[in-house]
PDB file of all heavy atoms in Angstrom:
ATOM      1  N   ARG Z  95      -6.434   1.212 -18.242  1.00  0.00           N
ATOM      2  CA  ARG Z  95      -5.923  -0.011 -17.632  1.00  0.00           C
ATOM      3  C   ARG Z  95      -4.579   0.320 -17.007  1.00  0.00           C
ATOM      4  O   ARG Z  95      -3.857   1.193 -17.484  1.00  0.00           O
ATOM      5  CB  ARG Z  95      -5.757  -1.140 -18.660  1.00  0.00           C
ATOM      6  CG  ARG Z  95      -7.024  -1.518 -19.421  1.00  0.00           C
ATOM      7  CD  ARG Z  95      -8.142  -1.952 -18.494  1.00  0.00           C
ATOM      8  NE  ARG Z  95      -9.295  -2.466 -19.213  1.00  0.00           N
ATOM      9  CZ  ARG Z  95     -10.417  -1.786 -19.430  1.00  0.00           C
ATOM     10  NH1 ARG Z  95     -10.533  -0.545 -18.989  1.00  0.00           N
ATOM     11  NH2 ARG Z  95     -11.426  -2.337 -20.076  1.00  0.00           N
ATOM     12  N   ASN Z  96      -4.204  -0.423 -15.940  1.00  0.00           N
ATOM     13  CA  ASN Z  96      -2.941  -0.139 -15.257  1.00  0.00           C
ATOM     14  C   ASN Z  96      -1.716  -0.549 -16.051  1.00  0.00           C
ATOM     15  O   ASN Z  96      -0.698   0.142 -16.018  1.00  0.00           O
ATOM     16  CB  ASN Z  96      -2.869  -0.846 -13.899  1.00  0.00           C
ATOM     17  CG  ASN Z  96      -3.904  -0.371 -12.933  1.00  0.00           C
ATOM     18  OD1 ASN Z  96      -4.720  -1.168 -12.468  1.00  0.00           O
ATOM     19  ND2 ASN Z  96      -3.914   0.906 -12.604  1.00  0.00           N
ATOM     20  N   LEU Z  97      -1.808  -1.695 -16.727  1.00  0.00           N
ATOM     21  CA  LEU Z  97      -0.635  -2.209 -17.440  1.00  0.00           C
ATOM     22  C   LEU Z  97      -0.965  -2.508 -18.885  1.00  0.00           C
ATOM     23  O   LEU Z  97      -2.041  -3.029 -19.186  1.00  0.00           O
ATOM     24  CB  LEU Z  97      -0.142  -3.521 -16.811  1.00  0.00           C
ATOM     25  CG  LEU Z  97       0.251  -3.534 -15.355  1.00  0.00           C
ATOM     26  CD1 LEU Z  97       0.753  -4.918 -14.974  1.00  0.00           C
ATOM     27  CD2 LEU Z  97       1.287  -2.486 -15.054  1.00  0.00           C
ATOM     28  N   VAL Z  98      -0.003  -2.227 -19.744  1.00  0.00           N
ATOM     29  CA  VAL Z  98      -0.034  -2.722 -21.114  1.00  0.00           C
ATOM     30  C   VAL Z  98       1.057  -3.779 -21.172  1.00  0.00           C
ATOM     31  O   VAL Z  98       2.210  -3.515 -20.838  1.00  0.00           O
ATOM     32  CB  VAL Z  98       0.230  -1.603 -22.147  1.00  0.00           C
ATOM     33  CG1 VAL Z  98       0.313  -2.182 -23.548  1.00  0.00           C
ATOM     34  CG2 VAL Z  98      -0.851  -0.528 -22.067  1.00  0.00           C
ATOM     35  N   VAL Z  99       0.660  -4.991 -21.563  1.00  0.00           N
ATOM     36  CA  VAL Z  99       1.566  -6.143 -21.581  1.00  0.00           C
ATOM     37  C   VAL Z  99       1.634  -6.696 -23.002  1.00  0.00           C
ATOM     38  O   VAL Z  99       0.599  -6.847 -23.658  1.00  0.00           O
ATOM     39  CB  VAL Z  99       1.049  -7.229 -20.604  1.00  0.00           C
ATOM     40  CG1 VAL Z  99       1.860  -8.493 -20.710  1.00  0.00           C
ATOM     41  CG2 VAL Z  99       1.058  -6.706 -19.181  1.00  0.00           C
ATOM     42  N   SER Z 100       2.840  -7.005 -23.449  1.00  0.00           N
ATOM     43  CA  SER Z 100       3.010  -7.589 -24.787  1.00  0.00           C
ATOM     44  C   SER Z 100       3.545  -9.009 -24.682  1.00  0.00           C
ATOM     45  O   SER Z 100       4.128  -9.397 -23.673  1.00  0.00           O
ATOM     46  CB  SER Z 100       3.984  -6.746 -25.617  1.00  0.00           C
ATOM     47  OG  SER Z 100       5.286  -6.800 -25.051  1.00  0.00           O
ATOM     48  N   GLY Z 101       3.324  -9.786 -25.740  1.00  0.00           N
ATOM     49  CA  GLY Z 101       3.991 -11.074 -25.898  1.00  0.00           C
ATOM     50  C   GLY Z 101       3.343 -12.287 -25.269  1.00  0.00           C
ATOM     51  O   GLY Z 101       3.797 -13.399 -25.511  1.00  0.00           O
ATOM     52  N   ILE Z 102       2.336 -12.113 -24.440  1.00  0.00           N
ATOM     53  CA  ILE Z 102       1.685 -13.248 -23.797  1.00  0.00           C
ATOM     54  C   ILE Z 102       0.173 -13.024 -23.868  1.00  0.00           C
ATOM     55  O   ILE Z 102      -0.294 -11.910 -23.622  1.00  0.00           O
ATOM     56  CB  ILE Z 102       2.164 -13.432 -22.334  1.00  0.00           C
ATOM     57  CG1 ILE Z 102       1.699 -14.767 -21.754  1.00  0.00           C
ATOM     58  CG2 ILE Z 102       1.780 -12.257 -21.468  1.00  0.00           C
ATOM     59  CD1 ILE Z 102       2.398 -15.146 -20.440  1.00  0.00           C
ATOM     60  N   PRO Z 103      -0.604 -14.031 -24.237  1.00  0.00           N
ATOM     61  CA  PRO Z 103      -2.052 -13.840 -24.342  1.00  0.00           C
ATOM     62  C   PRO Z 103      -2.703 -13.743 -22.955  1.00  0.00           C
ATOM     63  O   PRO Z 103      -2.748 -14.721 -22.217  1.00  0.00           O
ATOM     64  CB  PRO Z 103      -2.528 -15.074 -25.112  1.00  0.00           C
ATOM     65  CG  PRO Z 103      -1.469 -16.103 -24.893  1.00  0.00           C
ATOM     66  CD  PRO Z 103      -0.175 -15.365 -24.669  1.00  0.00           C
ATOM     67  N   LEU Z 104      -3.197 -12.576 -22.623  1.00  0.00           N
ATOM     68  CA  LEU Z 104      -3.779 -12.363 -21.298  1.00  0.00           C
ATOM     69  C   LEU Z 104      -4.965 -13.275 -21.028  1.00  0.00           C
ATOM     70  O   LEU Z 104      -5.166 -13.709 -19.898  1.00  0.00           O
ATOM     71  CB  LEU Z 104      -4.200 -10.899 -21.127  1.00  0.00           C
ATOM     72  CG  LEU Z 104      -3.054  -9.899 -21.027  1.00  0.00           C
ATOM     73  CD1 LEU Z 104      -3.598  -8.479 -20.953  1.00  0.00           C
ATOM     74  CD2 LEU Z 104      -2.173 -10.204 -19.824  1.00  0.00           C
ATOM     75  N   VAL Z 105      -5.736 -13.600 -22.045  1.00  0.00           N
ATOM     76  CA  VAL Z 105      -6.889 -14.485 -21.854  1.00  0.00           C
ATOM     77  C   VAL Z 105      -6.455 -15.836 -21.279  1.00  0.00           C
ATOM     78  O   VAL Z 105      -7.191 -16.460 -20.526  1.00  0.00           O
ATOM     79  CB  VAL Z 105      -7.703 -14.637 -23.161  1.00  0.00           C
ATOM     80  CG1 VAL Z 105      -6.939 -15.439 -24.205  1.00  0.00           C
ATOM     81  CG2 VAL Z 105      -9.057 -15.248 -22.892  1.00  0.00           C
ATOM     82  N   ALA Z 106      -5.248 -16.268 -21.581  1.00  0.00           N
ATOM     83  CA  ALA Z 106      -4.737 -17.545 -21.070  1.00  0.00           C
ATOM     84  C   ALA Z 106      -4.392 -17.467 -19.581  1.00  0.00           C
ATOM     85  O   ALA Z 106      -4.190 -18.499 -18.945  1.00  0.00           O
ATOM     86  CB  ALA Z 106      -3.507 -17.980 -21.864  1.00  0.00           C
ATOM     87  N   LEU Z 107      -4.344 -16.253 -19.022  1.00  0.00           N
ATOM     88  CA  LEU Z 107      -4.002 -16.088 -17.607  1.00  0.00           C
ATOM     89  C   LEU Z 107      -5.238 -15.964 -16.719  1.00  0.00           C
ATOM     90  O   LEU Z 107      -5.116 -15.898 -15.498  1.00  0.00           O
ATOM     91  CB  LEU Z 107      -3.100 -14.862 -17.432  1.00  0.00           C
ATOM     92  CG  LEU Z 107      -1.780 -14.918 -18.212  1.00  0.00           C
ATOM     93  CD1 LEU Z 107      -1.000 -13.629 -18.027  1.00  0.00           C
ATOM     94  CD2 LEU Z 107      -0.960 -16.127 -17.824  1.00  0.00           C
ATOM     95  N   LYS Z 108      -6.414 -15.943 -17.310  1.00  0.00           N
ATOM     96  CA  LYS Z 108      -7.649 -15.857 -16.527  1.00  0.00           C
ATOM     97  C   LYS Z 108      -7.816 -17.149 -15.724  1.00  0.00           C
ATOM     98  O   LYS Z 108      -7.717 -18.250 -16.260  1.00  0.00           O
ATOM     99  CB  LYS Z 108      -8.840 -15.653 -17.453  1.00  0.00           C
ATOM    100  CG  LYS Z 108     -10.139 -15.445 -16.708  1.00  0.00           C
ATOM    101  CD  LYS Z 108     -11.266 -15.176 -17.684  1.00  0.00           C
ATOM    102  CE  LYS Z 108     -12.578 -15.063 -16.948  1.00  0.00           C
ATOM    103  NZ  LYS Z 108     -13.685 -14.856 -17.890  1.00  0.00           N
ATOM    104  N   GLY Z 109      -8.019 -17.003 -14.413  1.00  0.00           N
ATOM    105  CA  GLY Z 109      -8.206 -18.154 -13.543  1.00  0.00           C
ATOM    106  C   GLY Z 109      -6.921 -18.845 -13.136  1.00  0.00           C
ATOM    107  O   GLY Z 109      -6.955 -19.915 -12.541  1.00  0.00           O
ATOM    108  N   ARG Z 110      -5.779 -18.231 -13.414  1.00  0.00           N
ATOM    109  CA  ARG Z 110      -4.513 -18.857 -13.000  1.00  0.00           C
ATOM    110  C   ARG Z 110      -3.560 -17.805 -12.457  1.00  0.00           C
ATOM    111  O   ARG Z 110      -3.752 -16.619 -12.638  1.00  0.00           O
ATOM    112  CB  ARG Z 110      -3.899 -19.640 -14.150  1.00  0.00           C
ATOM    113  CG  ARG Z 110      -3.439 -18.795 -15.318  1.00  0.00           C
ATOM    114  CD  ARG Z 110      -2.980 -19.608 -16.491  1.00  0.00           C
ATOM    115  NE  ARG Z 110      -1.790 -20.368 -16.184  1.00  0.00           N
ATOM    116  CZ  ARG Z 110      -1.210 -21.217 -17.029  1.00  0.00           C
ATOM    117  NH1 ARG Z 110      -1.737 -21.431 -18.205  1.00  0.00           N
ATOM    118  NH2 ARG Z 110      -0.126 -21.858 -16.690  1.00  0.00           N
ATOM    119  N   ARG Z 111      -2.525 -18.291 -11.810  1.00  0.00           N
ATOM    120  CA  ARG Z 111      -1.511 -17.398 -11.242  1.00  0.00           C
ATOM    121  C   ARG Z 111      -0.394 -17.162 -12.248  1.00  0.00           C
ATOM    122  O   ARG Z 111      -0.056 -18.031 -13.042  1.00  0.00           O
ATOM    123  CB  ARG Z 111      -0.957 -17.974  -9.945  1.00  0.00           C
ATOM    124  CG  ARG Z 111      -2.003 -17.902  -8.850  1.00  0.00           C
ATOM    125  CD  ARG Z 111      -1.471 -18.236  -7.498  1.00  0.00           C
ATOM    126  NE  ARG Z 111      -2.553 -18.033  -6.527  1.00  0.00           N
ATOM    127  CZ  ARG Z 111      -2.388 -18.066  -5.243  1.00  0.00           C
ATOM    128  NH1 ARG Z 111      -1.186 -18.295  -4.728  1.00  0.00           N
ATOM    129  NH2 ARG Z 111      -3.410 -17.872  -4.438  1.00  0.00           N
ATOM    130  N   PHE Z 112       0.168 -15.945 -12.152  1.00  0.00           N
ATOM    131  CA  PHE Z 112       1.287 -15.582 -13.017  1.00  0.00           C
ATOM    132  C   PHE Z 112       2.164 -14.576 -12.289  1.00  0.00           C
ATOM    133  O   PHE Z 112       1.757 -13.954 -11.323  1.00  0.00           O
ATOM    134  CB  PHE Z 112       0.796 -15.050 -14.376  1.00  0.00           C
ATOM    135  CG  PHE Z 112      -0.150 -13.883 -14.315  1.00  0.00           C
ATOM    136  CD1 PHE Z 112       0.297 -12.588 -14.555  1.00  0.00           C
ATOM    137  CD2 PHE Z 112      -1.505 -14.065 -14.051  1.00  0.00           C
ATOM    138  CE1 PHE Z 112      -0.570 -11.508 -14.527  1.00  0.00           C
ATOM    139  CE2 PHE Z 112      -2.391 -12.991 -14.016  1.00  0.00           C
ATOM    140  CZ  PHE Z 112      -1.926 -11.712 -14.254  1.00  0.00           C
ATOM    141  N   ARG Z 113       3.394 -14.478 -12.744  1.00  0.00           N
ATOM    142  CA  ARG Z 113       4.379 -13.592 -12.125  1.00  0.00           C
ATOM    143  C   ARG Z 113       4.691 -12.448 -13.074  1.00  0.00           C
ATOM    144  O   ARG Z 113       4.867 -12.655 -14.265  1.00  0.00           O
ATOM    145  CB  ARG Z 113       5.655 -14.358 -11.794  1.00  0.00           C
ATOM    146  CG  ARG Z 113       6.745 -13.492 -11.169  1.00  0.00           C
ATOM    147  CD  ARG Z 113       7.964 -14.297 -10.757  1.00  0.00           C
ATOM    148  NE  ARG Z 113       7.667 -15.229  -9.680  1.00  0.00           N
ATOM    149  CZ  ARG Z 113       7.530 -14.895  -8.396  1.00  0.00           C
ATOM    150  NH1 ARG Z 113       7.643 -13.642  -8.024  1.00  0.00           N
ATOM    151  NH2 ARG Z 113       7.287 -15.809  -7.493  1.00  0.00           N
ATOM    152  N   ILE Z 114       4.738 -11.241 -12.495  1.00  0.00           N
ATOM    153  CA  ILE Z 114       5.261 -10.074 -13.213  1.00  0.00           C
ATOM    154  C   ILE Z 114       6.344  -9.490 -12.325  1.00  0.00           C
ATOM    155  O   ILE Z 114       6.051  -8.945 -11.254  1.00  0.00           O
ATOM    156  CB  ILE Z 114       4.180  -9.016 -13.501  1.00  0.00           C
ATOM    157  CG1 ILE Z 114       3.066  -9.577 -14.384  1.00  0.00           C
ATOM    158  CG2 ILE Z 114       4.813  -7.793 -14.169  1.00  0.00           C
ATOM    159  CD1 ILE Z 114       1.979  -8.574 -14.734  1.00  0.00           C
ATOM    160  N   GLY Z 115       7.608  -9.641 -12.739  1.00  0.00           N
ATOM    161  CA  GLY Z 115       8.713  -9.172 -11.906  1.00  0.00           C
ATOM    162  C   GLY Z 115       8.631  -9.797 -10.535  1.00  0.00           C
ATOM    163  O   GLY Z 115       8.605 -11.018 -10.390  1.00  0.00           O
ATOM    164  N   GLU Z 116       8.546  -8.971  -9.474  1.00  0.00           N
ATOM    165  CA  GLU Z 116       8.471  -9.447  -8.085  1.00  0.00           C
ATOM    166  C   GLU Z 116       7.069  -9.931  -7.704  1.00  0.00           C
ATOM    167  O   GLU Z 116       6.902 -10.625  -6.701  1.00  0.00           O
ATOM    168  CB  GLU Z 116       8.843  -8.309  -7.121  1.00  0.00           C
ATOM    169  CG  GLU Z 116      10.243  -7.775  -7.263  1.00  0.00           C
ATOM    170  CD  GLU Z 116      10.504  -6.580  -6.350  1.00  0.00           C
ATOM    171  OE1 GLU Z 116       9.603  -6.157  -5.579  1.00  0.00           O
ATOM    172  OE2 GLU Z 116      11.633  -6.060  -6.402  1.00  0.00           O
ATOM    173  N   LEU Z 117       6.060  -9.543  -8.464  1.00  0.00           N
ATOM    174  CA  LEU Z 117       4.672  -9.800  -8.085  1.00  0.00           C
ATOM    175  C   LEU Z 117       4.185 -11.178  -8.498  1.00  0.00           C
ATOM    176  O   LEU Z 117       4.620 -11.708  -9.520  1.00  0.00           O
ATOM    177  CB  LEU Z 117       3.744  -8.784  -8.755  1.00  0.00           C
ATOM    178  CG  LEU Z 117       3.618  -7.399  -8.158  1.00  0.00           C
ATOM    179  CD1 LEU Z 117       4.932  -6.673  -8.093  1.00  0.00           C
ATOM    180  CD2 LEU Z 117       2.613  -6.598  -8.950  1.00  0.00           C
ATOM    181  N   VAL Z 118       3.260 -11.719  -7.717  1.00  0.00           N
ATOM    182  CA  VAL Z 118       2.486 -12.884  -8.133  1.00  0.00           C
ATOM    183  C   VAL Z 118       1.038 -12.411  -8.186  1.00  0.00           C
ATOM    184  O   VAL Z 118       0.528 -11.825  -7.224  1.00  0.00           O
ATOM    185  CB  VAL Z 118       2.626 -14.082  -7.158  1.00  0.00           C
ATOM    186  CG1 VAL Z 118       1.673 -15.197  -7.550  1.00  0.00           C
ATOM    187  CG2 VAL Z 118       4.067 -14.581  -7.152  1.00  0.00           C
TER     188      VAL Z 118
END
Side-chain angles (χ1 to χ4, degrees):
R95 303 302 187 258
N96 296 121
L97 302 182
V98 175
V99 173
S100 66
I102 191 167
L104 290 176
V105 70
L107 301 177
K108 185 177 176 182
R110 66 186 295 177
R111 289 189 176 189
F112 56 101
R113 179 176 294 283
I114 299 181
E116 298 176 1
L117 280 59
V118 173

